[in-house]
Amino acid sequence: MSGPGRKTQPKQMSSVDRWTICEKGHIHWGADGAAGLLLKQVPEHGEPVYLFQQRSRWVDHAGTWGIPGGAIRPGELPELAARREAEEEIGQVSSYRVTGMDAQDCGGGWKFHTVTADVDSPFQAFCVRETDATGWFTREEMWRLSLHPGFRRWLEEH
Protein backbone atom coordinates (compact mmCIF):
# COMPACT_ATOMS: atom_id res chain seq x y z
CA MET A 1 0.00 0.00 0.00
CA SER A 2 1.36 3.38 -0.92
CA GLY A 3 0.45 6.84 0.23
CA PRO A 4 1.95 10.14 1.32
CA GLY A 5 5.31 9.62 2.96
CA ARG A 6 5.53 5.94 2.02
CA LYS A 7 8.16 4.71 -0.38
CA THR A 8 7.16 2.10 -2.91
CA GLN A 9 9.55 -0.30 -4.56
CA PRO A 10 9.61 -0.47 -8.36
CA LYS A 11 8.18 -3.66 -9.80
CA GLN A 12 10.76 -6.27 -10.70
CA MET A 13 10.73 -7.09 -14.40
CA SER A 14 11.88 -10.30 -16.02
CA SER A 15 14.15 -8.68 -18.63
CA VAL A 16 17.91 -8.84 -17.98
CA ASP A 17 18.86 -5.30 -19.07
CA ARG A 18 16.23 -2.81 -18.03
CA TRP A 19 15.52 0.58 -16.54
CA THR A 20 15.30 0.77 -12.76
CA ILE A 21 14.47 3.39 -10.17
CA CYS A 22 16.87 3.99 -7.27
CA GLU A 23 15.96 4.97 -3.71
CA LYS A 24 16.14 8.67 -4.67
CA GLY A 25 13.71 8.22 -7.56
CA HIS A 26 16.36 8.52 -10.30
CA ILE A 27 15.87 6.37 -13.38
CA HIS A 28 18.92 4.30 -14.40
CA TRP A 29 19.75 1.67 -17.01
CA GLY A 30 20.68 -1.60 -15.30
CA ALA A 31 18.82 -3.10 -12.35
CA ASP A 32 22.14 -4.38 -10.93
CA GLY A 33 24.08 -1.22 -11.74
CA ALA A 34 26.24 -0.57 -14.77
CA ALA A 35 29.91 -0.60 -15.75
CA GLY A 36 32.08 1.05 -18.36
CA LEU A 37 35.64 0.65 -19.66
CA LEU A 38 38.03 3.63 -19.79
CA LEU A 39 41.01 2.62 -21.92
CA LYS A 40 44.24 4.63 -21.84
CA GLN A 41 47.32 4.40 -24.03
CA VAL A 42 50.57 6.08 -23.04
CA PRO A 43 52.77 6.79 -26.09
CA GLU A 44 56.55 6.78 -25.86
CA HIS A 45 56.49 10.53 -26.55
CA GLY A 46 53.52 12.76 -25.88
CA GLU A 47 50.44 12.72 -23.74
CA PRO A 48 48.28 9.71 -22.86
CA VAL A 49 45.17 9.23 -24.99
CA TYR A 50 41.82 7.79 -23.91
CA LEU A 51 39.21 5.94 -25.96
CA PHE A 52 35.78 7.57 -26.09
CA GLN A 53 32.56 6.83 -27.89
CA GLN A 54 29.84 9.20 -28.97
CA ARG A 55 26.48 7.87 -27.89
CA SER A 56 23.94 7.07 -30.59
CA ARG A 57 20.99 9.38 -31.06
CA TRP A 58 18.56 6.66 -29.90
CA VAL A 59 20.05 6.12 -26.41
CA ASP A 60 19.93 8.13 -23.18
CA HIS A 61 22.08 11.32 -23.36
CA ALA A 62 22.28 11.02 -27.13
CA GLY A 63 25.24 12.69 -28.84
CA THR A 64 27.35 12.96 -25.70
CA TRP A 65 30.80 11.41 -25.40
CA GLY A 66 31.85 8.93 -22.77
CA ILE A 67 33.12 5.43 -22.30
CA PRO A 68 31.50 2.28 -23.63
CA GLY A 69 29.44 0.60 -20.96
CA GLY A 70 26.05 -0.58 -19.83
CA ALA A 71 24.01 -2.75 -17.53
CA ILE A 72 25.59 -5.36 -15.29
CA ARG A 73 23.76 -8.66 -15.59
CA PRO A 74 22.71 -10.61 -12.48
CA GLY A 75 25.78 -12.28 -10.93
CA GLU A 76 28.20 -10.60 -13.38
CA LEU A 77 31.34 -8.89 -12.09
CA PRO A 78 31.67 -5.19 -13.06
CA GLU A 79 34.96 -5.80 -14.91
CA LEU A 80 33.38 -8.50 -17.07
CA ALA A 81 30.29 -6.38 -17.71
CA ALA A 82 32.49 -3.44 -18.77
CA ARG A 83 34.36 -5.61 -21.29
CA ARG A 84 31.18 -7.24 -22.62
CA GLU A 85 29.47 -3.89 -23.05
CA ALA A 86 32.55 -2.33 -24.68
CA GLU A 87 32.68 -5.13 -27.25
CA GLU A 88 28.95 -4.76 -27.93
CA GLU A 89 29.38 -1.03 -28.52
CA ILE A 90 32.80 -0.60 -30.20
CA GLY A 91 33.76 -4.07 -31.47
CA GLN A 92 36.69 -6.25 -30.45
CA VAL A 93 38.71 -4.70 -27.63
CA SER A 94 42.50 -5.00 -27.68
CA SER A 95 44.15 -6.76 -24.74
CA TYR A 96 44.49 -4.51 -21.72
CA ARG A 97 45.75 -4.35 -18.14
CA VAL A 98 43.23 -3.26 -15.52
CA THR A 99 44.66 -0.40 -13.44
CA GLY A 100 41.67 0.31 -11.23
CA MET A 101 37.95 0.28 -10.65
CA ASP A 102 35.84 2.95 -9.07
CA ALA A 103 32.13 2.81 -8.18
CA GLN A 104 30.16 6.04 -8.43
CA ASP A 105 26.94 5.93 -6.36
CA CYS A 106 24.09 8.16 -7.50
CA GLY A 107 23.15 8.74 -3.86
CA GLY A 108 20.21 6.36 -4.08
CA GLY A 109 22.00 3.02 -4.05
CA TRP A 110 22.54 2.59 -7.81
CA LYS A 111 26.19 2.40 -8.92
CA PHE A 112 28.18 2.89 -12.10
CA HIS A 113 31.55 1.11 -12.05
CA THR A 114 34.33 2.69 -14.11
CA VAL A 115 37.02 0.14 -14.95
CA THR A 116 40.28 1.84 -15.96
CA ALA A 117 42.81 -0.04 -18.06
CA ASP A 118 45.95 0.49 -20.14
CA VAL A 119 46.53 -0.73 -23.70
CA ASP A 120 49.88 -0.91 -25.48
CA SER A 121 48.70 0.98 -28.56
CA PRO A 122 45.54 2.66 -29.82
CA PHE A 123 43.36 0.31 -31.84
CA GLN A 124 40.54 0.90 -34.29
CA ALA A 125 37.23 1.05 -32.46
CA PHE A 126 34.11 0.72 -34.56
CA CYS A 127 30.64 2.19 -34.45
CA VAL A 128 28.66 -0.81 -33.31
CA ARG A 129 25.38 -0.79 -31.35
CA GLU A 130 24.69 2.47 -29.53
CA THR A 131 27.77 4.27 -30.95
CA ASP A 132 27.86 7.03 -33.56
CA ALA A 133 31.60 7.77 -33.41
CA THR A 134 34.78 6.76 -31.59
CA GLY A 135 38.12 8.43 -31.03
CA TRP A 136 41.27 8.63 -28.93
CA PHE A 137 41.61 11.93 -27.05
CA THR A 138 44.13 13.56 -24.70
CA ARG A 139 42.84 14.76 -21.34
CA GLU A 140 42.78 18.34 -22.63
CA GLU A 141 40.86 17.33 -25.76
CA MET A 142 38.28 15.32 -23.80
CA TRP A 143 37.21 18.43 -21.87
CA ARG A 144 36.22 20.05 -25.18
CA LEU A 145 33.79 17.23 -25.94
CA SER A 146 30.13 17.29 -24.99
CA LEU A 147 30.61 14.74 -22.21
CA HIS A 148 27.96 12.44 -20.75
CA PRO A 149 26.96 14.19 -17.48
CA GLY A 150 27.69 11.17 -15.26
CA PHE A 151 31.10 10.66 -16.82
CA ARG A 152 31.86 14.39 -16.56
CA ARG A 153 31.18 14.20 -12.80
CA TRP A 154 33.47 11.16 -12.52
CA LEU A 155 36.26 12.98 -14.41
CA GLU A 156 35.95 16.03 -12.19
CA GLU A 157 36.58 13.79 -9.17
CA HIS A 158 39.61 12.06 -10.72
Side-chain angles (χ1 to χ4, degrees):
M1 179 173 190
S2 65
R6 293 195 88 167
K7 288 186 178 182
T8 58
Q9 293 296 320
K11 279 187 165 182
Q12 294 297 316
M13 300 170 63
S14 60
S15 142
V16 173
D17 294 344
R18 64 179 172 84
W19 294 102
T20 190
I21 301 172
C22 73
E23 294 170 7
K24 286 206 160 197
H26 305 142
I27 299 171
H28 303 281
W29 181 249
D32 293 315
L37 187 59
L38 176 58
L39 296 171
K40 176 178 79 172
Q41 192 271 329
V42 180
E44 192 172 320
H45 303 288
E47 296 180 57
V49 290
Y50 302 83
L51 179 63
F52 282 81
Q53 72 165 150
Q54 185 178 38
R55 297 171 62 82
S56 175
R57 57 196 159 280
W58 61 272
V59 299
D60 191 33
H61 297 288
T64 61
W65 288 82
I67 58 175
I72 297 172
R73 294 184 176 157
E76 188 175 38
L77 295 173
E79 181 184 336
L80 297 177
R83 182 177 188 96
R84 176 184 49 75
E85 285 288 339
E87 290 187 344
E88 286 176 10
E89 296 177 7
I90 62 169
Q92 186 66 42
V93 175
S94 178
S95 64
Y96 59 83
R97 295 169 304 287
V98 172
T99 58
M101 183 169 51
D102 184 59
Q104 183 180 20
D105 192 310
C106 73
W110 186 88
K111 293 180 182 177
F112 186 91
H113 302 265
T114 301
V115 177
T116 55
D118 289 346
V119 295
D120 291 330
S121 59
F123 59 91
Q124 179 66 44
F126 298 93
C127 295
V128 183
R129 297 181 55 179
E130 304 169 19
T131 303
D132 281 347
T134 62
W136 292 86
F137 301 93
T138 65
R139 195 150 177 97
E140 181 181 328
E141 291 168 334
M142 75 175 70
W143 286 108
R144 291 188 220 136
L145 300 172
S146 174
L147 295 171
H148 181 283
F151 187 68
R152 176 178 288 281
R153 280 190 302 280
W154 184 86
L155 278 176
E156 289 169 350
E157 296 171 8
H158 294 86

mmCIF file of all heavy atoms in Angstrom, residues 43-64:
data_model
loop_
_atom_site.group_PDB
_atom_site.id
_atom_site.type_symbol
_atom_site.label_atom_id
_atom_site.label_comp_id
_atom_site.label_asym_id
_atom_site.label_seq_id
_atom_site.Cartn_x
_atom_site.Cartn_y
_atom_site.Cartn_z
ATOM 1 N N PRO A 43 51.760 6.902 -25.034
ATOM 2 C CA PRO A 43 52.773 6.787 -26.089
ATOM 3 C C PRO A 43 54.179 7.017 -25.530
ATOM 4 O O PRO A 43 54.344 7.557 -24.438
ATOM 5 C CB PRO A 43 52.382 7.896 -27.070
ATOM 6 C CG PRO A 43 51.644 8.889 -26.257
ATOM 7 C CD PRO A 43 50.979 8.112 -25.138
ATOM 8 N N GLU A 44 55.162 6.591 -26.285
ATOM 9 C CA GLU A 44 56.550 6.782 -25.860
ATOM 10 C C GLU A 44 56.856 8.273 -25.696
ATOM 11 O O GLU A 44 57.554 8.679 -24.779
ATOM 12 C CB GLU A 44 57.500 6.153 -26.886
ATOM 13 C CG GLU A 44 58.921 6.058 -26.391
ATOM 14 C CD GLU A 44 59.798 5.266 -27.350
ATOM 15 O OE1 GLU A 44 59.317 4.252 -27.885
ATOM 16 O OE2 GLU A 44 60.955 5.675 -27.539
ATOM 17 N N HIS A 45 56.319 9.074 -26.616
ATOM 18 C CA HIS A 45 56.489 10.533 -26.552
ATOM 19 C C HIS A 45 55.104 11.154 -26.658
ATOM 20 O O HIS A 45 54.308 10.772 -27.492
ATOM 21 C CB HIS A 45 57.372 11.040 -27.698
ATOM 22 C CG HIS A 45 58.723 10.380 -27.730
ATOM 23 N ND1 HIS A 45 59.698 10.655 -26.807
ATOM 24 C CD2 HIS A 45 59.238 9.449 -28.567
ATOM 25 C CE1 HIS A 45 60.765 9.919 -27.074
ATOM 26 N NE2 HIS A 45 60.519 9.178 -28.137
ATOM 27 N N GLY A 46 54.819 12.093 -25.815
ATOM 28 C CA GLY A 46 53.524 12.763 -25.879
ATOM 29 C C GLY A 46 52.614 12.397 -24.718
ATOM 30 O O GLY A 46 53.018 11.686 -23.793
ATOM 31 N N GLU A 47 51.415 12.889 -24.816
ATOM 32 C CA GLU A 47 50.440 12.716 -23.744
ATOM 33 C C GLU A 47 49.648 11.422 -23.897
ATOM 34 O O GLU A 47 49.423 10.955 -25.010
ATOM 35 C CB GLU A 47 49.441 13.873 -23.775
ATOM 36 C CG GLU A 47 50.041 15.231 -23.507
ATOM 37 C CD GLU A 47 48.966 16.302 -23.567
ATOM 38 O OE1 GLU A 47 47.986 16.179 -22.809
ATOM 39 O OE2 GLU A 47 49.125 17.234 -24.364
ATOM 40 N N PRO A 48 49.159 10.881 -22.787
ATOM 41 C CA PRO A 48 48.276 9.712 -22.863
ATOM 42 C C PRO A 48 46.996 10.067 -23.631
ATOM 43 O O PRO A 48 46.547 11.216 -23.612
ATOM 44 C CB PRO A 48 47.947 9.409 -21.400
ATOM 45 C CG PRO A 48 49.017 10.072 -20.605
ATOM 46 C CD PRO A 48 49.433 11.270 -21.403
ATOM 47 N N VAL A 49 46.448 9.070 -24.294
ATOM 48 C CA VAL A 49 45.167 9.232 -24.987
ATOM 49 C C VAL A 49 44.178 8.210 -24.432
ATOM 50 O O VAL A 49 44.566 7.130 -23.987
ATOM 51 C CB VAL A 49 45.309 9.093 -26.519
ATOM 52 C CG1 VAL A 49 46.055 10.284 -27.105
ATOM 53 C CG2 VAL A 49 45.969 7.787 -26.908
ATOM 54 N N TYR A 50 42.896 8.589 -24.474
ATOM 55 C CA TYR A 50 41.819 7.785 -23.908
ATOM 56 C C TYR A 50 40.779 7.521 -24.990
ATOM 57 O O TYR A 50 40.475 8.398 -25.796
ATOM 58 C CB TYR A 50 41.157 8.530 -22.754
ATOM 59 C CG TYR A 50 42.109 8.889 -21.645
ATOM 60 C CD1 TYR A 50 42.903 10.038 -21.718
ATOM 61 C CD2 TYR A 50 42.233 8.077 -20.524
ATOM 62 C CE1 TYR A 50 43.789 10.365 -20.702
ATOM 63 C CE2 TYR A 50 43.115 8.403 -19.505
ATOM 64 C CZ TYR A 50 43.891 9.548 -19.599
ATOM 65 O OH TYR A 50 44.764 9.870 -18.592
ATOM 66 N N LEU A 51 40.220 6.319 -24.970
ATOM 67 C CA LEU A 51 39.212 5.943 -25.962
ATOM 68 C C LEU A 51 37.827 6.370 -25.496
ATOM 69 O O LEU A 51 37.404 6.021 -24.396
ATOM 70 C CB LEU A 51 39.235 4.431 -26.198
ATOM 71 C CG LEU A 51 38.204 3.919 -27.210
ATOM 72 C CD1 LEU A 51 38.460 4.500 -28.595
ATOM 73 C CD2 LEU A 51 38.226 2.399 -27.256
ATOM 74 N N PHE A 52 37.144 7.119 -26.364
ATOM 75 C CA PHE A 52 35.781 7.566 -26.092
ATOM 76 C C PHE A 52 34.855 7.163 -27.225
ATOM 77 O O PHE A 52 35.291 6.958 -28.351
ATOM 78 C CB PHE A 52 35.733 9.095 -25.958
ATOM 79 C CG PHE A 52 36.229 9.580 -24.639
ATOM 80 C CD1 PHE A 52 37.580 9.712 -24.402
ATOM 81 C CD2 PHE A 52 35.345 9.900 -23.633
ATOM 82 C CE1 PHE A 52 38.048 10.156 -23.183
ATOM 83 C CE2 PHE A 52 35.797 10.346 -22.405
ATOM 84 C CZ PHE A 52 37.156 10.469 -22.175
ATOM 85 N N GLN A 53 33.592 7.090 -26.892
ATOM 86 C CA GLN A 53 32.557 6.827 -27.888
ATOM 87 C C GLN A 53 31.514 7.939 -27.808
ATOM 88 O O GLN A 53 31.249 8.485 -26.733
ATOM 89 C CB GLN A 53 31.869 5.481 -27.649
ATOM 90 C CG GLN A 53 30.964 5.506 -26.449
ATOM 91 C CD GLN A 53 29.998 4.352 -26.353
ATOM 92 O OE1 GLN A 53 29.649 3.979 -25.260
ATOM 93 N NE2 GLN A 53 29.565 3.768 -27.427
ATOM 94 N N GLN A 54 30.963 8.272 -28.959
ATOM 95 C CA GLN A 54 29.837 9.199 -28.971
ATOM 96 C C GLN A 54 28.566 8.374 -28.996
ATOM 97 O O GLN A 54 28.394 7.488 -29.843
ATOM 98 C CB GLN A 54 29.891 10.122 -30.187
ATOM 99 C CG GLN A 54 28.793 11.166 -30.153
ATOM 100 C CD GLN A 54 28.874 12.109 -31.331
ATOM 101 O OE1 GLN A 54 29.188 11.697 -32.444
ATOM 102 N NE2 GLN A 54 28.574 13.374 -31.091
ATOM 103 N N ARG A 55 27.692 8.650 -28.052
ATOM 104 C CA ARG A 55 26.477 7.867 -27.887
ATOM 105 C C ARG A 55 25.508 8.111 -29.039
ATOM 106 O O ARG A 55 25.311 9.238 -29.479
ATOM 107 C CB ARG A 55 25.826 8.211 -26.554
ATOM 108 C CG ARG A 55 26.732 7.850 -25.373
ATOM 109 C CD ARG A 55 26.210 8.378 -24.069
ATOM 110 N NE ARG A 55 24.919 7.826 -23.712
ATOM 111 C CZ ARG A 55 24.734 6.634 -23.131
ATOM 112 N NH1 ARG A 55 25.772 5.884 -22.840
ATOM 113 N NH2 ARG A 55 23.536 6.212 -22.838
ATOM 114 N N SER A 56 24.897 7.029 -29.493
ATOM 115 C CA SER A 56 23.939 7.071 -30.590
ATOM 116 C C SER A 56 22.747 7.956 -30.252
ATOM 117 O O SER A 56 22.399 8.138 -29.082
ATOM 118 C CB SER A 56 23.462 5.646 -30.876
ATOM 119 O OG SER A 56 22.452 5.659 -31.848
ATOM 120 N N ARG A 57 22.121 8.472 -31.282
ATOM 121 C CA ARG A 57 20.991 9.379 -31.064
ATOM 122 C C ARG A 57 19.756 8.682 -30.496
ATOM 123 O O ARG A 57 18.823 9.343 -30.068
ATOM 124 C CB ARG A 57 20.668 10.144 -32.334
ATOM 125 C CG ARG A 57 20.355 9.304 -33.518
ATOM 126 C CD ARG A 57 20.436 10.138 -34.813
ATOM 127 N NE ARG A 57 20.621 9.296 -35.965
ATOM 128 C CZ ARG A 57 21.782 8.765 -36.352
ATOM 129 N NH1 ARG A 57 22.862 9.011 -35.681
ATOM 130 N NH2 ARG A 57 21.858 8.002 -37.408
ATOM 131 N N TRP A 58 19.737 7.353 -30.439
ATOM 132 C CA TRP A 58 18.560 6.657 -29.904
ATOM 133 C C TRP A 58 18.737 6.169 -28.464
ATOM 134 O O TRP A 58 17.875 5.482 -27.933
ATOM 135 C CB TRP A 58 18.128 5.510 -30.814
ATOM 136 C CG TRP A 58 19.136 4.428 -31.010
ATOM 137 C CD1 TRP A 58 20.113 4.373 -31.960
ATOM 138 C CD2 TRP A 58 19.275 3.239 -30.238
ATOM 139 N NE1 TRP A 58 20.856 3.238 -31.820
ATOM 140 C CE2 TRP A 58 20.352 2.516 -30.771
ATOM 141 C CE3 TRP A 58 18.604 2.702 -29.146
ATOM 142 C CZ2 TRP A 58 20.771 1.293 -30.252
ATOM 143 C CZ3 TRP A 58 19.022 1.487 -28.637
ATOM 144 C CH2 TRP A 58 20.093 0.811 -29.196
ATOM 145 N N VAL A 59 19.841 6.532 -27.802
ATOM 146 C CA VAL A 59 20.047 6.120 -26.412
ATOM 147 C C VAL A 59 19.992 7.341 -25.479
ATOM 148 O O VAL A 59 20.026 8.480 -25.932
ATOM 149 C CB VAL A 59 21.380 5.356 -26.211
ATOM 150 C CG1 VAL A 59 21.412 4.093 -27.045
ATOM 151 C CG2 VAL A 59 22.574 6.224 -26.524
ATOM 152 N N ASP A 60 19.941 7.090 -24.187
ATOM 153 C CA ASP A 60 19.928 8.134 -23.182
ATOM 154 C C ASP A 60 21.158 9.036 -23.333
ATOM 155 O O ASP A 60 22.251 8.545 -23.595
ATOM 156 C CB ASP A 60 19.918 7.457 -21.801
ATOM 157 C CG ASP A 60 19.645 8.413 -20.672
ATOM 158 O OD1 ASP A 60 18.897 9.369 -20.872
ATOM 159 O OD2 ASP A 60 20.189 8.175 -19.583
ATOM 160 N N HIS A 61 21.000 10.330 -23.197
ATOM 161 C CA HIS A 61 22.076 11.317 -23.357
ATOM 162 C C HIS A 61 22.715 11.211 -24.743
ATOM 163 O O HIS A 61 23.936 11.200 -24.897
ATOM 164 C CB HIS A 61 23.129 11.186 -22.258
ATOM 165 C CG HIS A 61 22.584 11.452 -20.893
ATOM 166 N ND1 HIS A 61 22.225 12.705 -20.461
ATOM 167 C CD2 HIS A 61 22.298 10.620 -19.865
ATOM 168 C CE1 HIS A 61 21.765 12.645 -19.234
ATOM 169 N NE2 HIS A 61 21.792 11.382 -18.845
ATOM 170 N N ALA A 62 21.855 11.151 -25.739
ATOM 171 C CA ALA A 62 22.285 11.019 -27.134
ATOM 172 C C ALA A 62 23.267 12.115 -27.525
ATOM 173 O O ALA A 62 23.140 13.262 -27.102
ATOM 174 C CB ALA A 62 21.065 11.076 -28.043
ATOM 175 N N GLY A 63 24.272 11.733 -28.317
ATOM 176 C CA GLY A 63 25.244 12.685 -28.842
ATOM 177 C C GLY A 63 26.365 13.051 -27.895
ATOM 178 O O GLY A 63 27.312 13.704 -28.301
ATOM 179 N N THR A 64 26.267 12.648 -26.632
ATOM 180 C CA THR A 64 27.349 12.957 -25.703
ATOM 181 C C THR A 64 28.464 11.931 -25.848
ATOM 182 O O THR A 64 28.265 10.846 -26.394
ATOM 183 C CB THR A 64 26.855 12.981 -24.241
ATOM 184 O OG1 THR A 64 26.344 11.694 -23.888
ATOM 185 C CG2 THR A 64 25.783 14.048 -24.039
#
